[in-house]
Amino acid sequence: MCVVIASGNPVKRRATLEAVKVALGEDEVDSVTVDVASGVRQQPVGDEETLRGARNRAEAARQDRPNANLWVGVEGGVIERDGALDCMAWIVVLGRREPDGPVIRGESRTATFTLPAEIADRIRAGVELGTATDEVMGGTDTKSTTGTVGPLTGGVIDRVAFYAHALVLAMVPFRNADLTFPSAEPVLGGRE
């Protein structure tokens, strides 16, 4: 099985490989990472923009490597809620059940958690989440390792685990071949 991951981030790669093994029972996975544009801001805000970024990444990966089995887009974002800023991510998996079959999609969102004001204020000022986390928590390149969730949970949940459940859920259409799931074609890119 060949899986194209629309990011060079090692955390997104590890989480995807774990999910493919668990959800699809695939032990031998050829993974390729491609750096593609999300088509959204560096720090997406809200469900719609974050989902659009994940969809754009998955589709760009499909265009870049059309002969793969699955194409995965992961986009982290933040949501304003009652004066607080919550952190979450959207996962989009595109793929075919048969080589010449239609491209179908699976989508899922991670859990959310509230960011402390020290990080949220920096994000609202235009700083990307990973940089804001490093500044406040004293880390270095946390977006490629533990993520923001790592230091905030005392290491109980890291960024790989944070993404892995949503990745497994986004793969539901690919392990249930006898059921009907949405085609990828009508919604790619989302609304502008």
Side-chain angles (χ1 to χ4, degrees), residues 2-47:
C2 180
V3 178
V4 180
I5 303 151
S7 173
N9 187 306
V11 169
K12 294 177 181 180
R13 180 181 179 277
R14 281 185 41 220
T16 299
L17 293 177
E18 283 183 22
V20 167
K21 288 179 183 182
V22 171
L24 305 180
E26 295 286 340
D27 288 326
E28 295 192 26
V29 179
D30 178 25
S31 66
V32 177
T33 60
V34 293
D35 283 318
V36 296
S38 68
V40 298
R41 292 178 280 187
Q42 183 178 0
Q43 182 56 71
V45 177
D47 265 327

mmCIF file of all heavy atoms in Angstrom, residues 2-47:
data_model
loop_
_atom_site.group_PDB
_atom_site.id
_atom_site.type_symbol
_atom_site.label_atom_id
_atom_site.label_comp_id
_atom_site.label_asym_id
_atom_site.label_seq_id
_atom_site.Cartn_x
_atom_site.Cartn_y
_atom_site.Cartn_z
ATOM 1 N N CYS A 2 0.524 2.200 -0.832
ATOM 2 C CA CYS A 2 1.259 3.464 -0.888
ATOM 3 C C CYS A 2 0.362 4.588 -0.361
ATOM 4 O O CYS A 2 -0.749 4.783 -0.834
ATOM 5 C CB CYS A 2 1.694 3.781 -2.316
ATOM 6 S SG CYS A 2 2.599 5.345 -2.431
ATOM 7 N N VAL A 3 0.865 5.293 0.635
ATOM 8 C CA VAL A 3 0.147 6.401 1.247
ATOM 9 C C VAL A 3 0.964 7.666 1.067
ATOM 10 O O VAL A 3 2.156 7.700 1.395
ATOM 11 C CB VAL A 3 -0.075 6.145 2.749
ATOM 12 C CG1 VAL A 3 -0.781 7.318 3.391
ATOM 13 C CG2 VAL A 3 -0.849 4.863 2.970
ATOM 14 N N VAL A 4 0.325 8.696 0.537
ATOM 15 C CA VAL A 4 0.990 9.984 0.360
ATOM 16 C C VAL A 4 0.478 10.929 1.444
ATOM 17 O O VAL A 4 -0.730 11.145 1.572
ATOM 18 C CB VAL A 4 0.727 10.579 -1.037
ATOM 19 C CG1 VAL A 4 1.433 11.922 -1.186
ATOM 20 C CG2 VAL A 4 1.189 9.611 -2.119
ATOM 21 N N ILE A 5 1.399 11.457 2.213
ATOM 22 C CA ILE A 5 1.078 12.351 3.315
ATOM 23 C C ILE A 5 1.446 13.764 2.893
ATOM 24 O O ILE A 5 2.589 14.033 2.523
ATOM 25 C CB ILE A 5 1.835 11.932 4.584
ATOM 26 C CG1 ILE A 5 1.498 10.477 4.916
ATOM 27 C CG2 ILE A 5 1.514 12.869 5.742
ATOM 28 C CD1 ILE A 5 2.578 9.741 5.626
ATOM 29 N N ALA A 6 0.468 14.648 2.936
ATOM 30 C CA ALA A 6 0.629 15.997 2.403
ATOM 31 C C ALA A 6 1.314 16.920 3.396
ATOM 32 O O ALA A 6 0.831 18.004 3.717
ATOM 33 C CB ALA A 6 -0.729 16.558 1.999
ATOM 34 N N SER A 7 2.465 16.481 3.884
ATOM 35 C CA SER A 7 3.258 17.284 4.813
ATOM 36 C C SER A 7 4.586 16.584 5.041
ATOM 37 O O SER A 7 4.638 15.352 5.089
ATOM 38 C CB SER A 7 2.535 17.431 6.156
ATOM 39 O OG SER A 7 3.364 18.068 7.100
ATOM 40 N N GLY A 8 5.618 17.367 5.224
ATOM 41 C CA GLY A 8 6.914 16.812 5.579
ATOM 42 C C GLY A 8 7.084 16.683 7.083
ATOM 43 O O GLY A 8 8.117 16.227 7.560
ATOM 44 N N ASN A 9 6.069 17.059 7.865
ATOM 45 C CA ASN A 9 6.162 17.025 9.314
ATOM 46 C C ASN A 9 6.222 15.572 9.786
ATOM 47 O O ASN A 9 5.323 14.783 9.493
ATOM 48 C CB ASN A 9 4.952 17.736 9.928
ATOM 49 C CG ASN A 9 5.075 17.881 11.429
ATOM 50 O OD1 ASN A 9 5.279 16.912 12.129
ATOM 51 N ND2 ASN A 9 4.937 19.098 11.911
ATOM 52 N N PRO A 10 7.268 15.198 10.538
ATOM 53 C CA PRO A 10 7.422 13.805 10.967
ATOM 54 C C PRO A 10 6.296 13.325 11.882
ATOM 55 O O PRO A 10 5.971 12.138 11.899
ATOM 56 C CB PRO A 10 8.771 13.787 11.694
ATOM 57 C CG PRO A 10 9.053 15.205 12.038
ATOM 58 C CD PRO A 10 8.373 16.047 10.995
ATOM 59 N N VAL A 11 5.673 14.220 12.626
ATOM 60 C CA VAL A 11 4.562 13.839 13.493
ATOM 61 C C VAL A 11 3.369 13.377 12.664
ATOM 62 O O VAL A 11 2.744 12.360 12.962
ATOM 63 C CB VAL A 11 4.157 15.021 14.408
ATOM 64 C CG1 VAL A 11 2.849 14.756 15.120
ATOM 65 C CG2 VAL A 11 5.265 15.313 15.401
ATOM 66 N N LYS A 12 3.054 14.101 11.603
ATOM 67 C CA LYS A 12 1.923 13.736 10.752
ATOM 68 C C LYS A 12 2.197 12.404 10.054
ATOM 69 O O LYS A 12 1.288 11.582 9.893
ATOM 70 C CB LYS A 12 1.634 14.849 9.747
ATOM 71 C CG LYS A 12 1.139 16.120 10.426
ATOM 72 C CD LYS A 12 0.914 17.243 9.447
ATOM 73 C CE LYS A 12 0.454 18.507 10.164
ATOM 74 N NZ LYS A 12 0.220 19.625 9.243
ATOM 75 N N ARG A 13 3.432 12.166 9.684
ATOM 76 C CA ARG A 13 3.806 10.894 9.050
ATOM 77 C C ARG A 13 3.640 9.741 10.028
ATOM 78 O O ARG A 13 3.017 8.726 9.714
ATOM 79 C CB ARG A 13 5.240 10.950 8.534
ATOM 80 C CG ARG A 13 5.672 9.663 7.868
ATOM 81 C CD ARG A 13 7.137 9.738 7.369
ATOM 82 N NE ARG A 13 7.523 8.485 6.772
ATOM 83 C CZ ARG A 13 7.956 7.425 7.471
ATOM 84 N NH1 ARG A 13 8.077 7.485 8.776
ATOM 85 N NH2 ARG A 13 8.282 6.304 6.846
ATOM 86 N N ARG A 14 4.183 9.887 11.232
ATOM 87 C CA ARG A 14 4.075 8.814 12.232
ATOM 88 C C ARG A 14 2.631 8.509 12.579
ATOM 89 O O ARG A 14 2.231 7.345 12.678
ATOM 90 C CB ARG A 14 4.859 9.182 13.498
ATOM 91 C CG ARG A 14 6.353 8.952 13.368
ATOM 92 C CD ARG A 14 7.119 9.210 14.655
ATOM 93 N NE ARG A 14 6.454 8.726 15.845
ATOM 94 C CZ ARG A 14 6.422 9.395 17.009
ATOM 95 N NH1 ARG A 14 6.998 10.569 17.130
ATOM 96 N NH2 ARG A 14 5.801 8.883 18.053
ATOM 97 N N ALA A 15 1.835 9.546 12.786
ATOM 98 C CA ALA A 15 0.428 9.346 13.135
ATOM 99 C C ALA A 15 -0.315 8.639 12.009
ATOM 100 O O ALA A 15 -1.124 7.737 12.252
ATOM 101 C CB ALA A 15 -0.225 10.688 13.459
ATOM 102 N N THR A 16 -0.033 9.023 10.768
ATOM 103 C CA THR A 16 -0.689 8.391 9.619
ATOM 104 C C THR A 16 -0.311 6.925 9.523
ATOM 105 O O THR A 16 -1.176 6.060 9.329
ATOM 106 C CB THR A 16 -0.330 9.124 8.315
ATOM 107 O OG1 THR A 16 -0.791 10.477 8.403
ATOM 108 C CG2 THR A 16 -0.956 8.452 7.104
ATOM 109 N N LEU A 17 0.956 6.608 9.661
ATOM 110 C CA LEU A 17 1.393 5.213 9.567
ATOM 111 C C LEU A 17 0.783 4.362 10.677
ATOM 112 O O LEU A 17 0.356 3.232 10.432
ATOM 113 C CB LEU A 17 2.916 5.120 9.578
ATOM 114 C CG LEU A 17 3.610 5.707 8.348
ATOM 115 C CD1 LEU A 17 5.123 5.628 8.486
ATOM 116 C CD2 LEU A 17 3.153 5.011 7.078
ATOM 117 N N GLU A 18 0.721 4.901 11.884
ATOM 118 C CA GLU A 18 0.082 4.175 12.985
ATOM 119 C C GLU A 18 -1.387 3.898 12.671
ATOM 120 O O GLU A 18 -1.893 2.798 12.892
ATOM 121 C CB GLU A 18 0.190 4.961 14.292
ATOM 122 C CG GLU A 18 1.551 4.890 14.930
ATOM 123 C CD GLU A 18 1.611 5.622 16.270
ATOM 124 O OE1 GLU A 18 0.548 5.825 16.906
ATOM 125 O OE2 GLU A 18 2.725 5.981 16.678
ATOM 126 N N ALA A 19 -2.076 4.908 12.151
ATOM 127 C CA ALA A 19 -3.500 4.770 11.851
ATOM 128 C C ALA A 19 -3.741 3.756 10.731
ATOM 129 O O ALA A 19 -4.684 2.969 10.805
ATOM 130 C CB ALA A 19 -4.088 6.126 11.483
ATOM 131 N N VAL A 20 -2.909 3.767 9.695
ATOM 132 C CA VAL A 20 -3.064 2.815 8.591
ATOM 133 C C VAL A 20 -2.886 1.393 9.110
ATOM 134 O O VAL A 20 -3.651 0.495 8.759
ATOM 135 C CB VAL A 20 -2.072 3.122 7.447
ATOM 136 C CG1 VAL A 20 -2.001 1.990 6.446
ATOM 137 C CG2 VAL A 20 -2.461 4.426 6.749
ATOM 138 N N LYS A 21 -1.920 1.187 9.975
ATOM 139 C CA LYS A 21 -1.701 -0.146 10.538
ATOM 140 C C LYS A 21 -2.886 -0.594 11.379
ATOM 141 O O LYS A 21 -3.364 -1.716 11.261
ATOM 142 C CB LYS A 21 -0.416 -0.165 11.364
ATOM 143 C CG LYS A 21 0.832 -0.105 10.520
ATOM 144 C CD LYS A 21 2.081 -0.099 11.360
ATOM 145 C CE LYS A 21 3.300 0.025 10.457
ATOM 146 N NZ LYS A 21 4.547 -0.019 11.208
ATOM 147 N N VAL A 22 -3.378 0.288 12.239
ATOM 148 C CA VAL A 22 -4.468 -0.066 13.150
ATOM 149 C C VAL A 22 -5.797 -0.165 12.408
ATOM 150 O O VAL A 22 -6.534 -1.137 12.559
ATOM 151 C CB VAL A 22 -4.575 0.972 14.295
ATOM 152 C CG1 VAL A 22 -5.828 0.761 15.121
ATOM 153 C CG2 VAL A 22 -3.340 0.913 15.174
ATOM 154 N N ALA A 23 -6.124 0.832 11.613
ATOM 155 C CA ALA A 23 -7.445 0.894 10.972
ATOM 156 C C ALA A 23 -7.581 -0.056 9.796
ATOM 157 O O ALA A 23 -8.646 -0.626 9.581
ATOM 158 C CB ALA A 23 -7.735 2.320 10.509
ATOM 159 N N LEU A 24 -6.512 -0.210 9.032
ATOM 160 C CA LEU A 24 -6.605 -0.999 7.805
ATOM 161 C C LEU A 24 -5.841 -2.313 7.865
ATOM 162 O O LEU A 24 -5.866 -3.096 6.918
ATOM 163 C CB LEU A 24 -6.125 -0.166 6.617
ATOM 164 C CG LEU A 24 -6.839 1.180 6.421
ATOM 165 C CD1 LEU A 24 -6.274 1.918 5.219
ATOM 166 C CD2 LEU A 24 -8.338 0.996 6.300
ATOM 167 N N GLY A 25 -5.109 -2.549 8.945
ATOM 168 C CA GLY A 25 -4.370 -3.798 9.093
ATOM 169 C C GLY A 25 -3.202 -3.933 8.136
ATOM 170 O O GLY A 25 -2.770 -5.038 7.842
ATOM 171 N N GLU A 26 -2.694 -2.826 7.666
ATOM 172 C CA GLU A 26 -1.574 -2.831 6.714
ATOM 173 C C GLU A 26 -0.255 -2.676 7.464
ATOM 174 O O GLU A 26 -0.004 -1.643 8.081
ATOM 175 C CB GLU A 26 -1.721 -1.693 5.704
ATOM 176 C CG GLU A 26 -2.908 -1.814 4.789
ATOM 177 C CD GLU A 26 -2.735 -2.874 3.719
ATOM 178 O OE1 GLU A 26 -1.590 -3.275 3.430
ATOM 179 O OE2 GLU A 26 -3.761 -3.298 3.170
ATOM 180 N N ASP A 27 0.582 -3.694 7.419
ATOM 181 C CA ASP A 27 1.884 -3.614 8.068
ATOM 182 C C ASP A 27 2.971 -3.105 7.137
ATOM 183 O O ASP A 27 3.943 -2.505 7.572
ATOM 184 C CB ASP A 27 2.296 -4.979 8.624
ATOM 185 C CG ASP A 27 1.479 -5.354 9.843
ATOM 186 O OD1 ASP A 27 1.121 -4.441 10.614
ATOM 187 O OD2 ASP A 27 1.186 -6.547 10.019
ATOM 188 N N GLU A 28 2.805 -3.370 5.844
ATOM 189 C CA GLU A 28 3.801 -2.925 4.879
ATOM 190 C C GLU A 28 3.251 -1.744 4.102
ATOM 191 O O GLU A 28 2.454 -1.910 3.182
ATOM 192 C CB GLU A 28 4.179 -4.081 3.951
ATOM 193 C CG GLU A 28 4.869 -5.197 4.711
ATOM 194 C CD GLU A 28 5.509 -6.211 3.791
ATOM 195 O OE1 GLU A 28 5.865 -5.856 2.652
ATOM 196 O OE2 GLU A 28 5.642 -7.362 4.233
ATOM 197 N N VAL A 29 3.671 -0.575 4.518
ATOM 198 C CA VAL A 29 3.165 0.660 3.933
ATOM 199 C C VAL A 29 4.337 1.459 3.389
ATOM 200 O O VAL A 29 5.307 1.722 4.099
ATOM 201 C CB VAL A 29 2.406 1.504 4.985
ATOM 202 C CG1 VAL A 29 1.910 2.793 4.370
ATOM 203 C CG2 VAL A 29 1.268 0.707 5.586
ATOM 204 N N ASP A 30 4.233 1.793 2.113
ATOM 205 C CA ASP A 30 5.201 2.685 1.494
ATOM 206 C C ASP A 30 4.635 4.093 1.659
ATOM 207 O O ASP A 30 3.580 4.407 1.105
ATOM 208 C CB ASP A 30 5.362 2.336 0.006
ATOM 209 C CG ASP A 30 6.326 3.263 -0.706
ATOM 210 O OD1 ASP A 30 7.208 3.846 -0.040
ATOM 211 O OD2 ASP A 30 6.186 3.408 -1.926
ATOM 212 N N SER A 31 5.295 4.911 2.468
ATOM 213 C CA SER A 31 4.790 6.255 2.682
ATOM 214 C C SER A 31 5.682 7.268 1.977
ATOM 215 O O SER A 31 6.897 7.132 1.949
ATOM 216 C CB SER A 31 4.706 6.585 4.167
ATOM 217 O OG SER A 31 5.993 6.645 4.734
ATOM 218 N N VAL A 32 5.029 8.242 1.396
ATOM 219 C CA VAL A 32 5.709 9.324 0.702
ATOM 220 C C VAL A 32 5.181 10.614 1.298
ATOM 221 O O VAL A 32 3.975 10.776 1.479
ATOM 222 C CB VAL A 32 5.403 9.286 -0.819
ATOM 223 C CG1 VAL A 32 6.058 10.451 -1.531
ATOM 224 C CG2 VAL A 32 5.830 7.963 -1.415
ATOM 225 N N THR A 33 6.078 11.530 1.622
ATOM 226 C CA THR A 33 5.633 12.835 2.085
ATOM 227 C C THR A 33 5.883 13.851 0.986
ATOM 228 O O THR A 33 6.906 13.796 0.300
ATOM 229 C CB THR A 33 6.349 13.270 3.379
ATOM 230 O OG1 THR A 33 7.755 13.328 3.140
ATOM 231 C CG2 THR A 33 6.077 12.302 4.514
ATOM 232 N N VAL A 34 4.925 14.736 0.809
ATOM 233 C CA VAL A 34 5.068 15.816 -0.163
ATOM 234 C C VAL A 34 4.706 17.127 0.527
ATOM 235 O O VAL A 34 3.741 17.186 1.286
ATOM 236 C CB VAL A 34 4.184 15.593 -1.418
ATOM 237 C CG1 VAL A 34 4.657 14.403 -2.215
ATOM 238 C CG2 VAL A 34 2.724 15.431 -1.064
ATOM 239 N N ASP A 35 5.517 18.120 0.298
ATOM 240 C CA ASP A 35 5.214 19.444 0.826
ATOM 241 C C ASP A 35 4.324 20.157 -0.169
ATOM 242 O O ASP A 35 4.745 20.435 -1.292
ATOM 243 C CB ASP A 35 6.499 20.238 1.081
ATOM 244 C CG ASP A 35 7.210 19.792 2.340
ATOM 245 O OD1 ASP A 35 6.509 19.564 3.350
ATOM 246 O OD2 ASP A 35 8.444 19.669 2.321
ATOM 247 N N VAL A 36 3.096 20.394 0.234
ATOM 248 C CA VAL A 36 2.128 21.056 -0.631
ATOM 249 C C VAL A 36 1.500 22.218 0.137
ATOM 250 O O VAL A 36 1.474 22.221 1.367
ATOM 251 C CB VAL A 36 1.031 20.083 -1.116
ATOM 252 C CG1 VAL A 36 1.633 18.988 -1.988
ATOM 253 C CG2 VAL A 36 0.278 19.480 0.051
ATOM 254 N N ALA A 37 0.977 23.159 -0.593
ATOM 255 C CA ALA A 37 0.331 24.310 0.027
ATOM 256 C C ALA A 37 -1.054 23.937 0.521
ATOM 257 O O ALA A 37 -1.771 23.157 -0.110
ATOM 258 C CB ALA A 37 0.241 25.455 -0.968
ATOM 259 N N SER A 38 -1.433 24.526 1.640
ATOM 260 C CA SER A 38 -2.761 24.282 2.195
ATOM 261 C C SER A 38 -3.814 25.188 1.566
ATOM 262 O O SER A 38 -5.000 24.878 1.605
ATOM 263 C CB SER A 38 -2.755 24.501 3.703
ATOM 264 O OG SER A 38 -2.555 25.876 3.999
ATOM 265 N N GLY A 39 -3.378 26.317 1.023
ATOM 266 C CA GLY A 39 -4.327 27.269 0.452
ATOM 267 C C GLY A 39 -5.069 28.082 1.498
ATOM 268 O O GLY A 39 -6.025 28.780 1.173
ATOM 269 N N VAL A 40 -4.645 27.958 2.753
ATOM 270 C CA VAL A 40 -5.236 28.743 3.833
ATOM 271 C C VAL A 40 -4.105 29.442 4.585
ATOM 272 O O VAL A 40 -2.931 29.212 4.308
ATOM 273 C CB VAL A 40 -6.075 27.865 4.797
ATOM 274 C CG1 VAL A 40 -7.246 27.230 4.058
ATOM 275 C CG2 VAL A 40 -5.230 26.796 5.473
ATOM 276 N N ARG A 41 -4.479 30.266 5.550
ATOM 277 C CA ARG A 41 -3.459 30.962 6.348
ATOM 278 C C ARG A 41 -2.551 29.964 7.061
ATOM 279 O O ARG A 41 -2.943 28.827 7.315
ATOM 280 C CB ARG A 41 -4.121 31.852 7.406
ATOM 281 C CG ARG A 41 -4.852 33.028 6.841
ATOM 282 C CD ARG A 41 -5.499 33.823 7.943
ATOM 283 N NE ARG A 41 -6.753 33.161 8.336
ATOM 284 C CZ ARG A 41 -7.619 33.675 9.190
ATOM 285 N NH1 ARG A 41 -7.387 34.842 9.766
ATOM 286 N NH2 ARG A 41 -8.731 33.031 9.475
ATOM 287 N N GLN A 42 -1.344 30.440 7.401
ATOM 288 C CA GLN A 42 -0.397 29.584 8.113
ATOM 289 C C GLN A 42 -1.023 29.057 9.401
ATOM 290 O O GLN A 42 -0.790 27.918 9.789
ATOM 291 C CB GLN A 42 0.890 30.336 8.434
ATOM 292 C CG GLN A 42 1.934 29.476 9.111
ATOM 293 C CD GLN A 42 3.225 30.227 9.373
ATOM 294 O OE1 GLN A 42 3.359 31.394 9.057
ATOM 295 N NE2 GLN A 42 4.178 29.545 9.959
ATOM 296 N N GLN A 43 -1.818 29.885 10.068
ATOM 297 C CA GLN A 43 -2.549 29.443 11.246
ATOM 298 C C GLN A 43 -4.040 29.570 10.969
ATOM 299 O O GLN A 43 -4.633 30.617 11.161
ATOM 300 C CB GLN A 43 -2.182 30.272 12.485
ATOM 301 C CG GLN A 43 -2.885 29.801 13.743
ATOM 302 C CD GLN A 43 -2.619 28.329 14.015
ATOM 303 O OE1 GLN A 43 -1.523 27.945 14.384
ATOM 304 N NE2 GLN A 43 -3.628 27.489 13.829
ATOM 305 N N PRO A 44 -4.665 28.493 10.480
ATOM 306 C CA PRO A 44 -6.094 28.554 10.182
ATOM 307 C C PRO A 44 -6.927 28.811 11.443
ATOM 308 O O PRO A 44 -6.587 28.335 12.530
ATOM 309 C CB PRO A 44 -6.410 27.165 9.621
ATOM 310 C CG PRO A 44 -5.093 26.576 9.250
ATOM 311 C CD PRO A 44 -4.080 27.196 10.143
ATOM 312 N N VAL A 45 -8.010 29.546 11.258
ATOM 313 C CA VAL A 45 -8.916 29.855 12.352
ATOM 314 C C VAL A 45 -10.308 29.371 11.963
ATOM 315 O O VAL A 45 -10.825 29.724 10.904
ATOM 316 C CB VAL A 45 -8.938 31.371 12.654
ATOM 317 C CG1 VAL A 45 -9.949 31.679 13.751
ATOM 318 C CG2 VAL A 45 -7.552 31.868 13.047
ATOM 319 N N GLY A 46 -10.898 28.554 12.800
ATOM 320 C CA GLY A 46 -12.247 28.055 12.588
ATOM 321 C C GLY A 46 -12.277 26.718 11.877
ATOM 322 O O GLY A 46 -11.320 26.316 11.206
ATOM 323 N N ASP A 47 -13.413 26.033 12.050
ATOM 324 C CA ASP A 47 -13.595 24.724 11.426
ATOM 325 C C ASP A 47 -13.503 24.788 9.907
ATOM 326 O O ASP A 47 -12.834 23.971 9.281
ATOM 327 C CB ASP A 47 -14.971 24.139 11.797
ATOM 328 C CG ASP A 47 -14.914 23.218 12.990
ATOM 329 O OD1 ASP A 47 -13.895 22.540 13.178
ATOM 330 O OD2 ASP A 47 -15.904 23.180 13.729
#
